[in-house]
Amino acid sequence: MAEEKGDSDEAAPDALDATRRRSAELFARLHGADDQSPEAAGARDDLVHLHLALVEHCARRFRNRGEPYEDLVQVGTIGLIKAVDRFETDRGVEFSTYATPTIIGEIKRHFRDKGWAIRVPRRLQELRMQIGTTTAELSQSLGRSPTPRELADAIGCTVEEIVEGIESSNAYSTLSLDAGDEHDESSPSILDALGSDDTNLEHVEIRESIKPLLAGLGAREKKILLLRFFRNMTQSQIASEIGVSQMHVSRLLNRTLDQLRSSLEQD
């Protein structure tokens, strides 16, 4: 068993060395050929396929953050392609060392630009990421969750900005209005619990404005308005109620309404 383990340990460095040699050969082909030639295109494709494992490794760091792993790999591959196009072999660094920040940067940019259900300013997106990283670091060193003041001191901003950054996290993902209790299919949805516009609110100002004008009317005029507009009685019914003719009710009603309109316009 010990010999098998030793063989396995030796195999990993050998595979890594083989990848490095193959990568150096492909970059030599890429830089030695014309940019538009089939040879350059083939070397470029081979380099991308050779280092896809690096993309998958970087993408795994961002799993369980609300984005599908396959999408993260796809975005990270774009970063890998950019790194291949920009890499210069005379830099004296390993390609994986150079490519990793580019791949991770592309994935972070995806979260910043595409992962938010509601668009928020970039400064809040970046602040949210800082808060998350700093919270993890302070929680480990303090043995408890940091306060907003401790986060503000560590990041170098105000407590108000920390609160704003934390609140902006609510915009990262939203809940459908049709969603209900996942454990009870018969439960009402969020939409069912929302209120509707009250059309009577539009008339509040008019009602409040007309109150003092109504108070200045005579008792008979007040009663006619009450019977007509609050009890929905016809002019004939009102005439029978107060003991006058329907025509007289009509004249009184029109005169009272004209008086109220004129007073409102003057006010």
Side-chain angles (χ1 to χ4, degrees):
M1 293 293 293
E3 291 180 359
E4 292 179 3
K5 183 178 180 181
D7 292 341
S8 176
D9 292 340
E10 292 175 2
D14 289 344
L16 184 59
D17 289 339
T19 300
R20 288 171 177 169
R21 289 194 299 270
R22 179 60 176 161
S23 180
E25 293 171 1
L26 291 172
F27 272 114
R29 281 175 48 195
L30 176 63
H31 296 154
D34 184 84
D35 291 343
Q36 305 300 324
S37 67
E39 184 179 1
R44 184 170 179 263
D45 290 343
D46 290 343
L47 280 166
V48 171
H49 284 93
L50 182 64
H51 294 94
L52 279 179
L54 177 61
V55 174
E56 294 169 353
H57 171 74
C58 294
R60 280 194 290 271
R61 294 173 54 180
F62 295 88
R63 298 184 76 167
N64 303 320
R65 295 194 184 185
E67 289 292 297
Y69 172 71
E70 293 76 12
D71 290 355
L72 299 180
V73 171
Q74 186 175 4
V75 172
T77 303
I78 295 174
L80 174 61
I81 294 172
K82 291 180 179 180
V84 168
D85 291 339
R86 299 170 183 172
F87 184 64
E88 298 175 4
T89 53
D90 57 2
R91 288 174 178 263
V93 297
E94 292 288 342
F95 174 71
S96 58
T97 303
Y98 171 81
T100 298
T102 306
I103 296 170
I104 291 178
E106 200 68 30
I107 295 175
K108 287 183 176 180
R109 190 176 297 108
H110 170 75
F111 275 99
R112 184 184 64 200
D113 296 339
K114 306 294 184 182
W116 293 77
I118 301 175
R119 187 70 174 173
V120 300
R122 178 170 295 184
R123 68 174 183 84
L124 289 179
Q125 296 178 18
E126 295 174 347
L127 180 59
R128 174 182 174 273
M129 295 181 68
Q130 282 185 291
I131 291 173
T133 302
T134 307
T135 298
E137 295 173 351
L138 290 179
S139 297
Q140 186 173 5
S141 61
L142 297 173
R144 58 174 174 79
S145 298
T147 64
R149 168 59 63 188
E150 289 169 338
L151 286 170
D153 292 341
I155 295 175
C157 62
T158 65
V159 175
E160 289 75 13
E161 288 173 326
I162 292 294
V163 173
E164 188 179 14
I166 294 174
E167 290 178 346
S168 71
S169 299
N170 296 328
Y172 190 77
S173 61
T174 56
L175 191 63
S176 171
L177 291 176
D178 293 324
D181 188 345
E182 60 181 5
H183 302 295
D184 183 5
E185 295 183 357
S186 62
S187 64
S189 66
I190 296 176
L191 185 61
D192 296 331
L194 295 179
S196 58
D197 293 336
D198 186 352
T199 55
N200 291 325
L201 290 176
E202 299 177 3
H203 307 297
V204 169
E205 185 177 353
I206 296 175
R207 288 200 301 269
E208 292 301 314
S209 300
I210 209 171
K211 275 183 180 179
L213 302 179
L214 292 174
L217 295 176
R220 186 169 60 175
E221 286 79 1
K222 287 181 183 179
K223 186 172 183 178
I224 291 174
L225 291 178
L226 172 67
L227 296 176
R228 179 69 185 90
F229 295 105
F230 292 91
R231 296 187 184 176
N232 295 319
M233 294 176 64
T234 65
Q235 291 185 8
S236 298
Q237 291 171 330
I238 295 172
S240 300
E241 178 77 18
I242 64 176
V244 298
S245 67
Q246 178 183 346
M247 185 174 294
H248 192 48
V249 170
S250 178
R251 285 199 300 267
L252 287 173
L253 185 60
N254 289 333
R255 185 181 68 187
T256 303
L257 292 176
D258 288 341
Q259 179 182 342
L260 291 175
R261 291 192 191 98
S262 177
S263 298
L264 284 175
E265 291 173 357
Q266 291 176 3
D267 290 343

